[in-house]
Amino acid sequence: MVKLLSAIFLKGKDITTEAGRRAYGTLCSILGIFLNILLFAGKLTAGLLTGSIAITADAFNNIADAGSSVITLIGFRFAGMKPDTKHPFGHGRFEYLSGLLVSIIIIIVGFELLTSSIEKILHPEAMSGSGIIAIIILAASILVKGYMFFYNRRIGKKINSSGMKATAIDSVSDCAATTVVLISAVVGTFTDLSIDGWCGAAVSLFVLFSGFKSAYETLQPLLGESPDKDFVKDIESSIMEHKMVLGIHDMIVHDYGPGRQMISVHAEVDGKENIFVIHDEIDLIEQELYKKFGCDVVIHMDPIETDNEVIRTYKSQVSALVKELYKGSTIHDFRMVPGPTHTNLIFDAVIPYEIKDTEDNIRTVICSKVSDNLDKCLAVIKIDRPFTKQ
């Protein structure tokens, strides 16, 4: 259905572009609203005909899903707003907020389902007639929700939408919930057993788990999670393809919403090269990365000495000492300042977050290690923590 609708309404829209991304997100949200309202009407009818609290509660679960799709749609519309004076990096994080709101709705519905189910367990009631109609409606609902899961997951991955991914997770929980309700309807229709309340309780716990899991995943980019490893490796390899760049460090990926990332990175270059030649090459790299990844990139040039054998030797020794102390650590911006009584070795040490010691203690340990192993040398250290996954 999505392919048909996109062929009709989104002719010529490239899903990889920002405009195409918003168009596909909007189309899927509107389709979700329509399907959920349709399911609500069908289940509410079945619930009223049978007197089943579980089916009625499941119907209102679909109305909540329709509301979730409305929130996702609003998120796409706001995210598409152009940058302005107050928001120079755009409004892309509205999508993360819409995904979080979807998760909150899932959690609220889960609690409501649990309350209704407990009431049903304490006061069981037999289902009335029209059970066959209810079974047919519930079975059709599972198929529809399964389809919604697949198209939300597929399009959500293509356009990297947190809101659509959360909606896909919600569709899975709805399939499980409706399946349990269907089992309850079948048992209630063909036997005298009343398992409506117990089935509802099982469903509500699953819905709650899905809601909390979705909220956790949606919160991560809002809190500033580390960027994807593969994305970082692609950026690094693209920069290092240029022979003028001898090394990179201090990469930071600023996330302002899906498709709205800004990157800053330090690139080591030969200090003997002409500054204008280096600057021209760095400009070309920034433009290349923008075309390739759609991200604004700022590269800071760090000149290093490439023909000083003494510096290379000391840097290699210090790097080995730091790695011996703290696995996975690296150093950069290494400089030497000789003096009449000792030599200062100045460098930044990047220490993984797995090392829980304080920066002062880490600095003291490294300084002591350098002094003990390198004659008449003192370490002057700045402790860094990685902004990307190692």
Side-chain angles (χ1 to χ4, degrees), residues 318 322 325-326 330-335 344-351 359-371 378-384:
V318 171
V322 173
L325 289 170
Y326 303 109
T330 59
I331 67 169
H332 58 82
D333 285 340
F334 187 88
R335 306 186 302 282
N344 282 336
L345 305 179
I346 306 169
F347 58 92
D348 292 4
V350 183
I351 309 297
E359 292 187 5
D360 287 340
N361 286 343
I362 293 172
R363 188 180 294 105
T364 300
V365 170
I366 295 176
C367 287
S368 177
K369 188 76 170 178
V370 169
S371 297
L378 297 179
V380 180
I381 311 167
K382 178 180 181 295
I383 303 298
D384 285 345

PDB file of all heavy atoms in Angstrom, residues 318 322 325-326 330-335 344-351 359-371 378-384:
ATOM      1  N   VAL A 318      56.416   7.236  24.670  1.00  0.00           N
ATOM      2  CA  VAL A 318      55.349   7.709  25.552  1.00  0.00           C
ATOM      3  C   VAL A 318      54.035   7.023  25.225  1.00  0.00           C
ATOM      4  O   VAL A 318      53.280   6.617  26.128  1.00  0.00           O
ATOM      5  CB  VAL A 318      55.195   9.243  25.443  1.00  0.00           C
ATOM      6  CG1 VAL A 318      53.950   9.716  26.193  1.00  0.00           C
ATOM      7  CG2 VAL A 318      56.435   9.939  25.998  1.00  0.00           C
ATOM      8  N   VAL A 322      51.761   4.862  27.902  1.00  0.00           N
ATOM      9  CA  VAL A 322      50.365   5.192  28.221  1.00  0.00           C
ATOM     10  C   VAL A 322      49.462   3.986  27.939  1.00  0.00           C
ATOM     11  O   VAL A 322      48.573   3.655  28.731  1.00  0.00           O
ATOM     12  CB  VAL A 322      49.899   6.429  27.424  1.00  0.00           C
ATOM     13  CG1 VAL A 322      48.401   6.664  27.624  1.00  0.00           C
ATOM     14  CG2 VAL A 322      50.681   7.665  27.861  1.00  0.00           C
ATOM     15  N   LEU A 325      49.672   1.422  30.610  1.00  0.00           N
ATOM     16  CA  LEU A 325      48.931   1.792  31.822  1.00  0.00           C
ATOM     17  C   LEU A 325      47.421   1.661  31.617  1.00  0.00           C
ATOM     18  O   LEU A 325      46.709   1.138  32.478  1.00  0.00           O
ATOM     19  CB  LEU A 325      49.270   3.230  32.223  1.00  0.00           C
ATOM     20  CG  LEU A 325      50.665   3.489  32.793  1.00  0.00           C
ATOM     21  CD1 LEU A 325      50.913   4.982  32.889  1.00  0.00           C
ATOM     22  CD2 LEU A 325      50.803   2.825  34.165  1.00  0.00           C
ATOM     23  N   TYR A 326      46.937   2.147  30.488  1.00  0.00           N
ATOM     24  CA  TYR A 326      45.492   2.203  30.233  1.00  0.00           C
ATOM     25  C   TYR A 326      45.203   1.663  28.837  1.00  0.00           C
ATOM     26  O   TYR A 326      45.475   2.317  27.826  1.00  0.00           O
ATOM     27  CB  TYR A 326      44.981   3.639  30.362  1.00  0.00           C
ATOM     28  CG  TYR A 326      45.280   4.264  31.699  1.00  0.00           C
ATOM     29  CD1 TYR A 326      46.237   5.278  31.821  1.00  0.00           C
ATOM     30  CD2 TYR A 326      44.624   3.836  32.849  1.00  0.00           C
ATOM     31  CE1 TYR A 326      46.518   5.847  33.050  1.00  0.00           C
ATOM     32  CE2 TYR A 326      44.901   4.392  34.087  1.00  0.00           C
ATOM     33  CZ  TYR A 326      45.849   5.399  34.176  1.00  0.00           C
ATOM     34  OH  TYR A 326      46.133   5.945  35.410  1.00  0.00           O
ATOM     35  N   THR A 330      45.210   6.557  23.691  1.00  0.00           N
ATOM     36  CA  THR A 330      46.050   7.104  22.626  1.00  0.00           C
ATOM     37  C   THR A 330      46.572   8.475  23.060  1.00  0.00           C
ATOM     38  O   THR A 330      46.061   9.072  24.016  1.00  0.00           O
ATOM     39  CB  THR A 330      45.270   7.255  21.312  1.00  0.00           C
ATOM     40  OG1 THR A 330      44.150   8.138  21.529  1.00  0.00           O
ATOM     41  CG2 THR A 330      44.761   5.916  20.814  1.00  0.00           C
ATOM     42  N   ILE A 331      47.585   8.962  22.347  1.00  0.00           N
ATOM     43  CA  ILE A 331      48.081  10.316  22.605  1.00  0.00           C
ATOM     44  C   ILE A 331      48.124  11.091  21.292  1.00  0.00           C
ATOM     45  O   ILE A 331      48.203  10.493  20.204  1.00  0.00           O
ATOM     46  CB  ILE A 331      49.481  10.312  23.272  1.00  0.00           C
ATOM     47  CG1 ILE A 331      50.541   9.770  22.300  1.00  0.00           C
ATOM     48  CG2 ILE A 331      49.461   9.510  24.564  1.00  0.00           C
ATOM     49  CD1 ILE A 331      51.974   9.971  22.786  1.00  0.00           C
ATOM     50  N   HIS A 332      48.066  12.410  21.389  1.00  0.00           N
ATOM     51  CA  HIS A 332      48.195  13.255  20.205  1.00  0.00           C
ATOM     52  C   HIS A 332      48.693  14.628  20.633  1.00  0.00           C
ATOM     53  O   HIS A 332      48.877  14.901  21.822  1.00  0.00           O
ATOM     54  CB  HIS A 332      46.860  13.379  19.456  1.00  0.00           C
ATOM     55  CG  HIS A 332      45.738  13.941  20.277  1.00  0.00           C
ATOM     56  ND1 HIS A 332      45.565  15.283  20.479  1.00  0.00           N
ATOM     57  CD2 HIS A 332      44.738  13.333  20.964  1.00  0.00           C
ATOM     58  CE1 HIS A 332      44.504  15.492  21.232  1.00  0.00           C
ATOM     59  NE2 HIS A 332      43.981  14.320  21.550  1.00  0.00           N
ATOM     60  N   ASP A 333      48.942  15.496  19.640  1.00  0.00           N
ATOM     61  CA  ASP A 333      49.491  16.838  19.894  1.00  0.00           C
ATOM     62  C   ASP A 333      50.772  16.762  20.725  1.00  0.00           C
ATOM     63  O   ASP A 333      50.951  17.496  21.711  1.00  0.00           O
ATOM     64  CB  ASP A 333      48.450  17.727  20.599  1.00  0.00           C
ATOM     65  CG  ASP A 333      47.363  18.208  19.655  1.00  0.00           C
ATOM     66  OD1 ASP A 333      47.598  18.187  18.441  1.00  0.00           O
ATOM     67  OD2 ASP A 333      46.280  18.577  20.136  1.00  0.00           O
ATOM     68  N   PHE A 334      51.661  15.852  20.326  1.00  0.00           N
ATOM     69  CA  PHE A 334      52.913  15.630  21.078  1.00  0.00           C
ATOM     70  C   PHE A 334      53.953  16.686  20.699  1.00  0.00           C
ATOM     71  O   PHE A 334      54.231  16.921  19.528  1.00  0.00           O
ATOM     72  CB  PHE A 334      53.459  14.233  20.774  1.00  0.00           C
ATOM     73  CG  PHE A 334      54.634  13.855  21.614  1.00  0.00           C
ATOM     74  CD1 PHE A 334      54.456  13.245  22.847  1.00  0.00           C
ATOM     75  CD2 PHE A 334      55.934  14.102  21.178  1.00  0.00           C
ATOM     76  CE1 PHE A 334      55.534  12.877  23.634  1.00  0.00           C
ATOM     77  CE2 PHE A 334      57.022  13.750  21.959  1.00  0.00           C
ATOM     78  CZ  PHE A 334      56.823  13.134  23.182  1.00  0.00           C
ATOM     79  N   ARG A 335      54.527  17.340  21.710  1.00  0.00           N
ATOM     80  CA  ARG A 335      55.561  18.354  21.505  1.00  0.00           C
ATOM     81  C   ARG A 335      56.666  18.190  22.555  1.00  0.00           C
ATOM     82  O   ARG A 335      56.413  17.647  23.645  1.00  0.00           O
ATOM     83  CB  ARG A 335      54.980  19.772  21.604  1.00  0.00           C
ATOM     84  CG  ARG A 335      53.807  20.003  20.682  1.00  0.00           C
ATOM     85  CD  ARG A 335      53.321  21.436  20.671  1.00  0.00           C
ATOM     86  NE  ARG A 335      52.916  21.942  21.969  1.00  0.00           N
ATOM     87  CZ  ARG A 335      51.754  21.664  22.564  1.00  0.00           C
ATOM     88  NH1 ARG A 335      50.887  20.843  21.982  1.00  0.00           N
ATOM     89  NH2 ARG A 335      51.465  22.186  23.738  1.00  0.00           N
ATOM     90  N   ASN A 344      60.445  18.961  28.776  1.00  0.00           N
ATOM     91  CA  ASN A 344      58.993  18.794  28.928  1.00  0.00           C
ATOM     92  C   ASN A 344      58.419  18.069  27.714  1.00  0.00           C
ATOM     93  O   ASN A 344      58.656  18.484  26.571  1.00  0.00           O
ATOM     94  CB  ASN A 344      58.306  20.156  29.076  1.00  0.00           C
ATOM     95  CG  ASN A 344      58.457  20.732  30.471  1.00  0.00           C
ATOM     96  OD1 ASN A 344      58.663  20.008  31.430  1.00  0.00           O
ATOM     97  ND2 ASN A 344      58.355  22.053  30.577  1.00  0.00           N
ATOM     98  N   LEU A 345      57.694  16.991  27.986  1.00  0.00           N
ATOM     99  CA  LEU A 345      56.976  16.270  26.930  1.00  0.00           C
ATOM    100  C   LEU A 345      55.497  16.626  27.067  1.00  0.00           C
ATOM    101  O   LEU A 345      54.844  16.225  28.028  1.00  0.00           O
ATOM    102  CB  LEU A 345      57.181  14.767  27.069  1.00  0.00           C
ATOM    103  CG  LEU A 345      58.643  14.290  27.109  1.00  0.00           C
ATOM    104  CD1 LEU A 345      58.690  12.777  27.268  1.00  0.00           C
ATOM    105  CD2 LEU A 345      59.395  14.723  25.850  1.00  0.00           C
ATOM    106  N   ILE A 346      55.003  17.404  26.117  1.00  0.00           N
ATOM    107  CA  ILE A 346      53.650  17.943  26.206  1.00  0.00           C
ATOM    108  C   ILE A 346      52.749  17.160  25.244  1.00  0.00           C
ATOM    109  O   ILE A 346      53.068  17.031  24.058  1.00  0.00           O
ATOM    110  CB  ILE A 346      53.636  19.440  25.836  1.00  0.00           C
ATOM    111  CG1 ILE A 346      54.656  20.201  26.704  1.00  0.00           C
ATOM    112  CG2 ILE A 346      52.248  20.031  26.009  1.00  0.00           C
ATOM    113  CD1 ILE A 346      54.924  21.619  26.244  1.00  0.00           C
ATOM    114  N   PHE A 347      51.638  16.656  25.743  1.00  0.00           N
ATOM    115  CA  PHE A 347      50.749  15.876  24.878  1.00  0.00           C
ATOM    116  C   PHE A 347      49.373  15.744  25.521  1.00  0.00           C
ATOM    117  O   PHE A 347      49.197  15.988  26.722  1.00  0.00           O
ATOM    118  CB  PHE A 347      51.325  14.473  24.602  1.00  0.00           C
ATOM    119  CG  PHE A 347      51.583  13.659  25.830  1.00  0.00           C
ATOM    120  CD1 PHE A 347      50.623  12.794  26.338  1.00  0.00           C
ATOM    121  CD2 PHE A 347      52.799  13.753  26.492  1.00  0.00           C
ATOM    122  CE1 PHE A 347      50.854  12.039  27.476  1.00  0.00           C
ATOM    123  CE2 PHE A 347      53.056  12.997  27.646  1.00  0.00           C
ATOM    124  CZ  PHE A 347      52.078  12.140  28.129  1.00  0.00           C
ATOM    125  N   ASP A 348      48.407  15.372  24.682  1.00  0.00           N
ATOM    126  CA  ASP A 348      47.055  15.041  25.148  1.00  0.00           C
ATOM    127  C   ASP A 348      46.936  13.520  25.208  1.00  0.00           C
ATOM    128  O   ASP A 348      47.347  12.825  24.271  1.00  0.00           O
ATOM    129  CB  ASP A 348      45.988  15.580  24.189  1.00  0.00           C
ATOM    130  CG  ASP A 348      45.918  17.105  24.186  1.00  0.00           C
ATOM    131  OD1 ASP A 348      46.760  17.725  24.872  1.00  0.00           O
ATOM    132  OD2 ASP A 348      45.042  17.659  23.509  1.00  0.00           O
ATOM    133  N   ALA A 349      46.348  12.999  26.286  1.00  0.00           N
ATOM    134  CA  ALA A 349      46.116  11.566  26.429  1.00  0.00           C
ATOM    135  C   ALA A 349      44.616  11.300  26.401  1.00  0.00           C
ATOM    136  O   ALA A 349      43.862  11.867  27.203  1.00  0.00           O
ATOM    137  CB  ALA A 349      46.716  11.048  27.735  1.00  0.00           C
ATOM    138  N   VAL A 350      44.179  10.465  25.451  1.00  0.00           N
ATOM    139  CA  VAL A 350      42.761  10.125  25.332  1.00  0.00           C
ATOM    140  C   VAL A 350      42.525   8.822  26.095  1.00  0.00           C
ATOM    141  O   VAL A 350      43.004   7.766  25.698  1.00  0.00           O
ATOM    142  CB  VAL A 350      42.347   9.954  23.857  1.00  0.00           C
ATOM    143  CG1 VAL A 350      40.853   9.665  23.766  1.00  0.00           C
ATOM    144  CG2 VAL A 350      42.709  11.198  23.052  1.00  0.00           C
ATOM    145  N   ILE A 351      41.770   8.916  27.200  1.00  0.00           N
ATOM    146  CA  ILE A 351      41.545   7.783  28.096  1.00  0.00           C
ATOM    147  C   ILE A 351      40.105   7.293  27.941  1.00  0.00           C
ATOM    148  O   ILE A 351      39.164   8.079  28.091  1.00  0.00           O
ATOM    149  CB  ILE A 351      41.804   8.171  29.567  1.00  0.00           C
ATOM    150  CG1 ILE A 351      43.168   8.859  29.721  1.00  0.00           C
ATOM    151  CG2 ILE A 351      41.690   6.954  30.476  1.00  0.00           C
ATOM    152  CD1 ILE A 351      44.343   7.986  29.354  1.00  0.00           C
ATOM    153  N   GLU A 359      40.650  12.247  36.579  1.00  0.00           N
ATOM    154  CA  GLU A 359      41.647  12.790  35.665  1.00  0.00           C
ATOM    155  C   GLU A 359      42.940  13.151  36.393  1.00  0.00           C
ATOM    156  O   GLU A 359      44.043  12.951  35.862  1.00  0.00           O
ATOM    157  CB  GLU A 359      41.080  14.015  34.944  1.00  0.00           C
ATOM    158  CG  GLU A 359      39.965  13.681  33.966  1.00  0.00           C
ATOM    159  CD  GLU A 359      39.532  14.874  33.141  1.00  0.00           C
ATOM    160  OE1 GLU A 359      40.176  15.948  33.268  1.00  0.00           O
ATOM    161  OE2 GLU A 359      38.568  14.747  32.363  1.00  0.00           O
ATOM    162  N   ASP A 360      42.819  13.683  37.615  1.00  0.00           N
ATOM    163  CA  ASP A 360      44.014  14.042  38.379  1.00  0.00           C
ATOM    164  C   ASP A 360      44.863  12.813  38.688  1.00  0.00           C
ATOM    165  O   ASP A 360      46.101  12.837  38.566  1.00  0.00           O
ATOM    166  CB  ASP A 360      43.625  14.738  39.687  1.00  0.00           C
ATOM    167  CG  ASP A 360      43.119  16.156  39.462  1.00  0.00           C
ATOM    168  OD1 ASP A 360      43.427  16.721  38.384  1.00  0.00           O
ATOM    169  OD2 ASP A 360      42.423  16.694  40.333  1.00  0.00           O
ATOM    170  N   ASN A 361      44.206  11.716  39.074  1.00  0.00           N
ATOM    171  CA  ASN A 361      44.948  10.488  39.380  1.00  0.00           C
ATOM    172  C   ASN A 361      45.591   9.902  38.125  1.00  0.00           C
ATOM    173  O   ASN A 361      46.737   9.423  38.164  1.00  0.00           O
ATOM    174  CB  ASN A 361      44.024   9.447  40.018  1.00  0.00           C
ATOM    175  CG  ASN A 361      43.681   9.783  41.459  1.00  0.00           C
ATOM    176  OD1 ASN A 361      44.347  10.594  42.098  1.00  0.00           O
ATOM    177  ND2 ASN A 361      42.638   9.162  41.972  1.00  0.00           N
ATOM    178  N   ILE A 362      44.851   9.939  37.026  1.00  0.00           N
ATOM    179  CA  ILE A 362      45.394   9.430  35.759  1.00  0.00           C
ATOM    180  C   ILE A 362      46.619  10.240  35.355  1.00  0.00           C
ATOM    181  O   ILE A 362      47.655   9.687  34.950  1.00  0.00           O
ATOM    182  CB  ILE A 362      44.318   9.479  34.655  1.00  0.00           C
ATOM    183  CG1 ILE A 362      43.190   8.486  34.953  1.00  0.00           C
ATOM    184  CG2 ILE A 362      44.937   9.184  33.292  1.00  0.00           C
ATOM    185  CD1 ILE A 362      41.994   8.607  34.027  1.00  0.00           C
ATOM    186  N   ARG A 363      46.499  11.541  35.469  1.00  0.00           N
ATOM    187  CA  ARG A 363      47.614  12.422  35.115  1.00  0.00           C
ATOM    188  C   ARG A 363      48.844  12.120  35.986  1.00  0.00           C
ATOM    189  O   ARG A 363      49.976  12.035  35.487  1.00  0.00           O
ATOM    190  CB  ARG A 363      47.187  13.878  35.270  1.00  0.00           C
ATOM    191  CG  ARG A 363      48.207  14.879  34.742  1.00  0.00           C
ATOM    192  CD  ARG A 363      47.732  16.312  34.917  1.00  0.00           C
ATOM    193  NE  ARG A 363      46.555  16.589  34.093  1.00  0.00           N
ATOM    194  CZ  ARG A 363      45.320  16.702  34.558  1.00  0.00           C
ATOM    195  NH1 ARG A 363      45.083  16.552  35.859  1.00  0.00           N
ATOM    196  NH2 ARG A 363      44.330  16.988  33.757  1.00  0.00           N
ATOM    197  N   THR A 364      48.627  11.939  37.288  1.00  0.00           N
ATOM    198  CA  THR A 364      49.725  11.654  38.216  1.00  0.00           C
ATOM    199  C   THR A 364      50.406  10.338  37.873  1.00  0.00           C
ATOM    200  O   THR A 364      51.648  10.242  37.870  1.00  0.00           O
ATOM    201  CB  THR A 364      49.193  11.601  39.662  1.00  0.00           C
ATOM    202  OG1 THR A 364      48.619  12.868  39.996  1.00  0.00           O
ATOM    203  CG2 THR A 364      50.317  11.279  40.633  1.00  0.00           C
ATOM    204  N   VAL A 365      49.610   9.313  37.562  1.00  0.00           N
ATOM    205  CA  VAL A 365      50.161   7.988  37.233  1.00  0.00           C
ATOM    206  C   VAL A 365      50.995   8.052  35.956  1.00  0.00           C
ATOM    207  O   VAL A 365      52.107   7.498  35.898  1.00  0.00           O
ATOM    208  CB  VAL A 365      49.013   6.961  37.080  1.00  0.00           C
ATOM    209  CG1 VAL A 365      49.540   5.650  36.510  1.00  0.00           C
ATOM    210  CG2 VAL A 365      48.349   6.702  38.427  1.00  0.00           C
ATOM    211  N   ILE A 366      50.479   8.746  34.920  1.00  0.00           N
ATOM    212  CA  ILE A 366      51.227   8.833  33.660  1.00  0.00           C
ATOM    213  C   ILE A 366      52.512   9.631  33.843  1.00  0.00           C
ATOM    214  O   ILE A 366      53.587   9.237  33.347  1.00  0.00           O
ATOM    215  CB  ILE A 366      50.357   9.468  32.558  1.00  0.00           C
ATOM    216  CG1 ILE A 366      49.153   8.563  32.239  1.00  0.00           C
ATOM    217  CG2 ILE A 366      51.173   9.701  31.293  1.00  0.00           C
ATOM    218  CD1 ILE A 366      48.184   9.162  31.224  1.00  0.00           C
ATOM    219  N   CYS A 367      52.427  10.740  34.565  1.00  0.00           N
ATOM    220  CA  CYS A 367      53.621  11.566  34.812  1.00  0.00           C
ATOM    221  C   CYS A 367      54.701  10.761  35.520  1.00  0.00           C
ATOM    222  O   CYS A 367      55.895  10.836  35.181  1.00  0.00           O
ATOM    223  CB  CYS A 367      53.250  12.792  35.635  1.00  0.00           C
ATOM    224  SG  CYS A 367      52.338  14.059  34.728  1.00  0.00           S
ATOM    225  N   SER A 368      54.290   9.978  36.515  1.00  0.00           N
ATOM    226  CA  SER A 368      55.240   9.155  37.265  1.00  0.00           C
ATOM    227  C   SER A 368      55.879   8.099  36.360  1.00  0.00           C
ATOM    228  O   SER A 368      57.093   7.857  36.416  1.00  0.00           O
ATOM    229  CB  SER A 368      54.523   8.488  38.437  1.00  0.00           C
ATOM    230  OG  SER A 368      55.400   7.634  39.142  1.00  0.00           O
ATOM    231  N   LYS A 369      55.057   7.489  35.490  1.00  0.00           N
ATOM    232  CA  LYS A 369      55.552   6.462  34.574  1.00  0.00           C
ATOM    233  C   LYS A 369      56.569   7.045  33.597  1.00  0.00           C
ATOM    234  O   LYS A 369      57.616   6.425  33.316  1.00  0.00           O
ATOM    235  CB  LYS A 369      54.371   5.874  33.810  1.00  0.00           C
ATOM    236  CG  LYS A 369      54.713   4.666  32.956  1.00  0.00           C
ATOM    237  CD  LYS A 369      54.879   3.422  33.785  1.00  0.00           C
ATOM    238  CE  LYS A 369      54.986   2.179  32.920  1.00  0.00           C
ATOM    239  NZ  LYS A 369      55.187   0.959  33.721  1.00  0.00           N
ATOM    240  N   VAL A 370      56.294   8.229  33.071  1.00  0.00           N
ATOM    241  CA  VAL A 370      57.202   8.872  32.126  1.00  0.00           C
ATOM    242  C   VAL A 370      58.519   9.227  32.818  1.00  0.00           C
ATOM    243  O   VAL A 370      59.614   8.969  32.288  1.00  0.00           O
ATOM    244  CB  VAL A 370      56.547  10.123  31.516  1.00  0.00           C
ATOM    245  CG1 VAL A 370      57.577  10.951  30.732  1.00  0.00           C
ATOM    246  CG2 VAL A 370      55.387   9.737  30.609  1.00  0.00           C
ATOM    247  N   SER A 371      58.455   9.805  34.004  1.00  0.00           N
ATOM    248  CA  SER A 371      59.662  10.210  34.736  1.00  0.00           C
ATOM    249  C   SER A 371      60.539   9.008  35.088  1.00  0.00           C
ATOM    250  O   SER A 371      61.773   9.088  35.052  1.00  0.00           O
ATOM    251  CB  SER A 371      59.279  10.957  36.015  1.00  0.00           C
ATOM    252  OG  SER A 371      58.586  12.149  35.720  1.00  0.00           O
ATOM    253  N   LEU A 378      59.859  15.286  31.883  1.00  0.00           N
ATOM    254  CA  LEU A 378      58.642  15.533  32.654  1.00  0.00           C
ATOM    255  C   LEU A 378      57.461  15.615  31.691  1.00  0.00           C
ATOM    256  O   LEU A 378      57.569  16.230  30.623  1.00  0.00           O
ATOM    257  CB  LEU A 378      58.751  16.828  33.461  1.00  0.00           C
ATOM    258  CG  LEU A 378      59.840  16.894  34.542  1.00  0.00           C
ATOM    259  CD1 LEU A 378      59.823  18.255  35.215  1.00  0.00           C
ATOM    260  CD2 LEU A 378      59.650  15.792  35.576  1.00  0.00           C
ATOM    261  N   ALA A 379      56.376  15.000  32.084  1.00  0.00           N
ATOM    262  CA  ALA A 379      55.185  15.004  31.235  1.00  0.00           C
ATOM    263  C   ALA A 379      54.248  16.144  31.622  1.00  0.00           C
ATOM    264  O   ALA A 379      53.981  16.369  32.808  1.00  0.00           O
ATOM    265  CB  ALA A 379      54.448  13.671  31.333  1.00  0.00           C
ATOM    266  N   VAL A 380      53.786  16.872  30.609  1.00  0.00           N
ATOM    267  CA  VAL A 380      52.773  17.914  30.792  1.00  0.00           C
ATOM    268  C   VAL A 380      51.556  17.437  29.997  1.00  0.00           C
ATOM    269  O   VAL A 380      51.568  17.442  28.759  1.00  0.00           O
ATOM    270  CB  VAL A 380      53.265  19.279  30.289  1.00  0.00           C
ATOM    271  CG1 VAL A 380      52.181  20.336  30.511  1.00  0.00           C
ATOM    272  CG2 VAL A 380      54.561  19.672  30.989  1.00  0.00           C
ATOM    273  N   ILE A 381      50.508  17.036  30.715  1.00  0.00           N
ATOM    274  CA  ILE A 381      49.443  16.266  30.081  1.00  0.00           C
ATOM    275  C   ILE A 381      48.085  16.945  30.194  1.00  0.00           C
ATOM    276  O   ILE A 381      47.731  17.481  31.246  1.00  0.00           O
ATOM    277  CB  ILE A 381      49.323  14.859  30.728  1.00  0.00           C
ATOM    278  CG1 ILE A 381      50.694  14.198  30.820  1.00  0.00           C
ATOM    279  CG2 ILE A 381      48.353  13.983  29.953  1.00  0.00           C
ATOM    280  CD1 ILE A 381      50.702  12.987  31.710  1.00  0.00           C
ATOM    281  N   LYS A 382      47.337  16.851  29.096  1.00  0.00           N
ATOM    282  CA  LYS A 382      45.909  17.201  29.119  1.00  0.00           C
ATOM    283  C   LYS A 382      45.136  15.897  28.917  1.00  0.00           C
ATOM    284  O   LYS A 382      45.372  15.175  27.947  1.00  0.00           O
ATOM    285  CB  LYS A 382      45.562  18.194  28.005  1.00  0.00           C
ATOM    286  CG  LYS A 382      44.089  18.566  27.936  1.00  0.00           C
ATOM    287  CD  LYS A 382      43.838  19.556  26.804  1.00  0.00           C
ATOM    288  CE  LYS A 382      42.379  19.971  26.724  1.00  0.00           C
ATOM    289  NZ  LYS A 382      41.479  18.857  26.376  1.00  0.00           N
ATOM    290  N   ILE A 383      44.241  15.599  29.844  1.00  0.00           N
ATOM    291  CA  ILE A 383      43.457  14.373  29.756  1.00  0.00           C
ATOM    292  C   ILE A 383      42.197  14.611  28.935  1.00  0.00           C
ATOM    293  O   ILE A 383      41.412  15.510  29.222  1.00  0.00           O
ATOM    294  CB  ILE A 383      43.082  13.846  31.158  1.00  0.00           C
ATOM    295  CG1 ILE A 383      44.337  13.604  32.004  1.00  0.00           C
ATOM    296  CG2 ILE A 383      42.258  12.571  31.037  1.00  0.00           C
ATOM    297  CD1 ILE A 383      45.278  12.565  31.432  1.00  0.00           C
ATOM    298  N   ASP A 384      42.018  13.804  27.896  1.00  0.00           N
ATOM    299  CA  ASP A 384      40.809  13.846  27.059  1.00  0.00           C
ATOM    300  C   ASP A 384      40.015  12.559  27.245  1.00  0.00           C
ATOM    301  O   ASP A 384      40.570  11.521  27.621  1.00  0.00           O
ATOM    302  CB  ASP A 384      41.177  13.988  25.574  1.00  0.00           C
ATOM    303  CG  ASP A 384      41.621  15.386  25.219  1.00  0.00           C
ATOM    304  OD1 ASP A 384      41.390  16.307  26.027  1.00  0.00           O
ATOM    305  OD2 ASP A 384      42.213  15.556  24.130  1.00  0.00           O
TER     306      ASP A 384
END
